[in-house]
Amino acid sequence: MSRTTQRIGQLITTFGPGAMVDLPTRSVLIGGLDRWEMRDGTFRVIEEDRLAARLEAMLKAAGRLDEARHLSLRTPPLLEDQPGTKAPPGVQVTVFPIWFVVDAEDGGPQDNAEDANRERRRRLVKWGDLDPSGKLKWIDDNGRKRTVTPIRFVGACEKGHLQDIDWRWVVHGQDHCREPLWMVEKGTSADPRDVSIRCDCGRSLSLDQLFAPGRLGPCKGERPWLDTPDPAGCNKALRLLTRTATNAYFAQIATVISLPAASDELAQRVQANLSRLQECDSAAEIGVARKVVPELKAALEGWSNQEVWDEVQRQITQATQNLSRSPKLAEFDVFACGRPHIGEDTRQARLFAETLSRVTWDPDSDPICSGIQALIAVHRLREVSCLYGFTRFEAARTAFDDELEDIQLKVDGAPLSSDLDWLPAVEQFGEGLFFHFDPASVADWLVRTGTQERAARLSAAYRTWALSRDIDPLRLPGVVYTMIHSLSHALMSEIALVCGYPANALKERVYALESLSQPGRFDKCGLLIYTATSGTQGTLGGVVAQHRMIVPIFRRAFERLHVCSNDPICSDHDPGTTLDDRALQGAACHGCLLVSETSCEARNQYLDRAFLVDTLASGGSAFFEHAWQRTTS
């Protein structure tokens, strides 16, 4: 069979270990990291010590990483790095599920023209029953080859375990029967009540019965992507899962923006090879590594083993000390430092930004931007995203302050490997704009009566939603995050119209950091809108160039938000009347604030345009209220 290729970014975000992927003739399960072909020369180590150190601490605390091991970040296998005719590296997969449905109905395809309300029978067969010459077709009793399709339903549990449904046991229980099984459908809808599994012995059950708790039996703790069951077993009951549904796989991804590299040359070279050097336990072992690895010998030429060892220890200590700080806090401090130039303007730089003078982007001191203290043009940035687990049925909650604890809902994160010492990651380069909010303006906005009333209404809905899912409501984001997040979506929609990038290429990173010494005061608030790709296309300057148009962009964004095309339904939405994800939204819908989910760091949750401008149903809570009134009067 010819190899199927995927973009390396897809192996991080969508089709990582444990994910089911539809191929033309079968469905497969992406293998765990133990089954990725990571030969020498087939991957690159991604150096990002802040992210690696935090993930290492989190995974060790969760028992997923041996205490004696150091974690490294690597790219997935790279096809283009293979010389000559050597077989390219790949990711092994497993055929899953092994139950198939024959495409043609019983009696032949000519029956398809009959009344849609009649019952339509299709044979259920297993992988081992298919034609051994290619395992693509099933040969019926008359010798005809019938095409087959993987069955849509599998069994899974809240711990991420996955297994085929034993359809014979489901239909017959403990009674043994070898008569043919059929999927029987009627009507034209996808209602489970219209689909049943029937045996020629006369027994049957409808799919809606399979949703009953415990009907599929206990979970066996199977992890087919790892080839080994969970050694801890499982105390959950299997649940019916549609393999192509969006809740079949939610990747757990940690993302950071790289900070400027070390200043002196030795620090830069050690930083570029830290994942290898930190495996050494002494200066003598550094010397051995330099002899064995030609790349290290060339990179560290001119420095003694002791000098290299001392620098390695300094960087490891610094990374350990940074574990107590949120990655977003370190990023905010760099962007909001006020220096004219941040980082170096070189091709190899991880970050280069420029703090713009006010006259450059707001020459008339327009009141519409009065809440923005500074604008930083980020000419070059490096984003590193790493996959460290996944969930099923329900996405793990977004860590809004970028803490990486494995915060659970009613599901558990599943491991990517049974013997972990590295994680798949991807680096992307891009550009963007960073908005530094004025802390005094944020503090004044928070004490307004209208803000507090709107905040109380949303907070009550947040709390009800969180308690219904056994989440600590104190860990949910506050109204400052919601306000900045809403502004981000409004600006991304406007910037996408003029920057030259498609809307789904823009991303956001929201900084709403509460003061540690003064609880309730948000003194570090910012917003990064950026684009990043694996090549150089993300650094063409289309976003940065919009800094001179920020005032018109703000004005157009607020004009669109003032009245939504779905008003008054949108503005009248009461989050307290629902327990689904709409409980996490105020006045927000696809007509005003929702954007592509690839652009949003919070899955289009925690949005409310009433925190930006007055709406038809709410007033007095808008951060830009007075500026908007003065601008439009």
Side-chain angles (χ1 to χ4, degrees):
M1 183 177 70
S2 62
R3 291 200 171 199
T4 301
T5 59
Q6 295 283 3
R7 294 174 61 90
I8 61 173
Q10 290 180 307
L11 286 174
I12 302 297
T13 59
T14 311
F15 302 124
M20 290 171 280
V21 180
D22 267 335
L23 299 182
T25 59
R26 68 203 75 185
S27 172
V28 297
L29 190 70
I30 302 296
L33 300 184
D34 303 326
R35 300 169 61 189
W36 290 28
E37 298 171 1
M38 304 294 283
R39 304 188 298 264
D40 288 342
T42 64
F43 65 91
R44 290 187 295 106
V45 175
I46 295 180
E47 299 292 347
E48 185 53 64
D49 53 302
R50 283 194 309 138
L51 181 56
R54 292 186 67 82
L55 286 172
E56 180 178 312
M58 185 271 290
L59 292 173
K60 286 181 177 178
R64 296 192 200 173
L65 180 65
D66 189 275
E67 288 290 339
R69 289 190 172 180
H70 290 295
L71 188 69
S72 64
L73 308 182
R74 305 177 185 176
T75 65
L78 300 175
L79 180 64
E80 62 270 20
D81 288 350
Q82 293 308 296
T85 59
K86 191 175 182 179
V91 174
Q92 296 181 19
V93 299
T94 300
V95 174
F96 185 88
I98 63 171
W99 282 94
F100 292 77
V101 180
V102 176
D103 288 346
E105 298 178 32
D106 182 35
Q110 68 274 10
D111 291 341
N112 292 339
E114 297 182 11
D115 182 10
N117 291 322
R118 68 176 176 81
E119 290 189 345
R120 301 176 298 281
R121 299 200 321 163
R122 295 190 294 158
R123 181 74 176 268
L124 281 181
V125 295
K126 298 183 74 171
W127 172 256
D129 299 330
L130 302 184
D131 181 7
S133 63
K135 292 188 179 298
L136 304 177
K137 296 180 181 296
W138 176 69
I139 302 177
D140 65 13
D141 296 337
N142 297 321
R144 292 176 297 184
K145 290 186 177 182
R146 302 286 190 87
T147 58
V148 295
T149 302
I151 197 165
R152 290 179 293 154
F153 308 102
V154 296
C157 80
E158 293 87 346
K159 292 186 177 181
H161 301 145
L162 189 69
Q163 66 185 66
D164 267 290
I165 296 174
D166 187 345
W167 293 104
R168 292 196 177 276
W169 180 88
V170 166
V171 174
H172 300 93
Q174 300 300 327
D175 297 335
H176 295 284
C177 179
R178 290 297 171 188
E179 294 296 320
L181 291 175
W182 304 83
M183 177 175 285
V184 181
E185 301 166 295
K186 61 182 180 179
T188 57
S189 71
D191 193 321
R193 291 173 295 184
D194 292 339
V195 182
S196 61
I197 306 297
R198 185 176 300 174
C199 179
D200 276 354
C201 72
R203 294 193 181 184
S204 68
L205 82 164
S206 63
L207 286 186
D208 67 321
Q209 294 177 271
L210 297 182
F211 288 99
R215 186 63 180 82
L216 295 177
C219 177
K220 300 177 182 179
E222 292 187 8
R223 304 180 298 180
W225 67 95
L226 298 182
D227 291 331
T228 58
D230 193 333
C234 186
N235 59 359
K236 302 288 186 179
L238 278 182
R239 293 174 56 182
L240 190 68
L241 178 67
T242 303
R243 60 179 176 81
T244 55
T246 56
N247 67 345
Y249 189 86
F250 295 101
Q252 292 178 297
I253 301 174
T255 301
V256 299
I257 302 298
S258 297
L259 301 183
S263 55
D264 63 84
E265 188 174 356
L266 174 58
Q268 293 178 7
R269 298 195 178 193
V270 168
Q271 189 176 61
N273 297 277
L274 187 59
S275 60
R276 289 174 172 172
L277 293 172
Q278 67 181 358
E279 299 292 337
C280 301
D281 294 327
S282 64
E285 289 193 15
I286 293 285
V288 174
R290 294 171 72 171
K291 292 180 180 179
V292 174
V293 183
E295 293 86 351
L296 288 180
K297 180 179 180 181
L300 303 174
E301 189 71 34
W303 288 278
S304 68
N305 294 334
Q306 188 61 49
E307 289 175 324
V308 174
W309 170 251
D310 290 341
E311 179 58 29
V312 170
Q313 294 307 298
R314 186 192 69 79
Q315 293 194 19
I316 291 177
T317 301
Q318 184 179 25
T320 303
Q321 292 173 344
N322 286 338
L323 290 179
S324 60
R325 305 180 74 210
S326 164
K328 280 191 173 181
L329 179 58
E331 294 167 17
F332 178 90
D333 288 344
V334 169
F335 285 126
C337 65
R339 294 196 300 269
H341 295 94
I342 304 167
E344 299 178 348
D345 187 10
T346 63
R347 184 178 180 82
Q348 295 76 27
R350 294 183 174 184
L351 178 69
F352 174 63
E354 180 184 4
T355 303
L356 302 174
S357 63
R358 189 92 190 186
V359 69
T360 302
W361 59 276
D362 185 19
D364 300 323
S365 298
D366 197 302
I368 204 169
C369 293
S370 59
I372 306 300
Q373 177 174 312
L375 181 64
I376 293 85
V378 185
H379 297 282
R380 181 179 178 85
L381 62 81
R382 174 181 181 252
E383 174 198 68
V384 177
S385 297
C386 177
L387 175 68
Y388 65 92
F390 66 89
T391 63
R392 303 195 195 278
F393 294 109
E394 195 167 356
R397 189 179 68 82
T398 302
F400 299 96
D401 57 356
D402 221 22
E403 297 294 335
L404 298 179
E405 306 98 281
D406 203 3
I407 303 168
Q408 308 302 338
L409 301 180
K410 294 180 180 178
V411 295
D412 292 336
L416 304 180
S417 171
S418 55
D419 188 25
L420 186 68
D421 64 352
W422 65 275
L423 288 173
V426 60
E427 61 178 351
Q428 298 182 314
F429 297 90
E431 43 131 352
L433 292 170
F434 180 82
F435 301 85
H436 180 193
F437 284 74
D438 177 25
S441 297
V442 173
D444 292 342
W445 172 71
L446 284 173
V447 298
R448 291 186 202 165
T449 302
T451 303
Q452 294 180 347
E453 291 176 352
R454 186 73 178 180
R457 185 178 175 185
L458 286 181
S459 296
Y462 291 177
R463 180 179 179 82
T464 302
W465 177 89
L467 294 178
S468 71
R469 287 164 169 74
D470 300 327
I471 306 172
D472 181 2
L474 296 178
R475 298 199 64 96
L476 294 173
V479 294
V480 176
Y481 181 94
T482 303
M483 182 272 289
I484 300 176
H485 189 212
S486 301
L487 177 65
S488 173
H489 282 214
L491 294 182
M492 281 195 293
S493 297
E494 290 300 323
I495 291 174
L497 297 176
V498 292
C499 72
Y501 294 109
N504 60 4
L506 297 182
K507 303 179 183 181
E508 65 182 1
R509 200 155 171 83
V510 178
Y511 304 80
L513 306 173
E514 190 174 4
S515 173
L516 296 178
S517 58
Q518 296 180 306
R521 178 177 175 81
F522 290 81
D523 53 358
K524 295 180 183 294
C525 298
L527 167 64
L528 176 64
I529 295 178
Y530 66 103
T531 184
T533 67
S534 56
T536 59
Q537 294 90 346
T539 57
L540 299 178
V543 177
V544 170
Q546 305 310 314
H547 72 270
R548 298 183 182 275
M549 299 294 294
I550 285 301
V551 172
I553 287 174
F554 266 73
R555 186 175 293 113
R556 290 197 300 268
F558 294 156
E559 287 174 354
R560 292 178 185 269
L561 294 182
H562 187 58
V563 177
C564 172
S565 59
N566 288 324
D567 277 341
I569 297 175
C570 176
S571 59
D572 286 342
H573 169 62
D574 182 4
T577 61
T578 177
L579 290 179
D580 59 17
D581 286 346
R582 291 218 68 199
L584 304 178
Q585 296 172 350
C589 69
H590 285 284
C592 52
L593 283 182
L594 302 192
V595 297
S596 168
E597 290 201 6
T598 58
S599 300
C600 179
E601 70 172 18
R603 296 186 294 275
N604 272 327
Q605 298 170 350
Y606 308 102
L607 297 166
D608 191 354
R609 59 190 170 96
F611 285 141
L612 301 179
V613 297
D614 290 342
T615 67
L616 298 181
S618 176
S621 60
F623 181 76
F624 298 93
E625 174 186 13
H626 301 300
W628 171 252
Q629 290 176 349
R630 289 197 297 269
T631 303
T632 57
S633 59

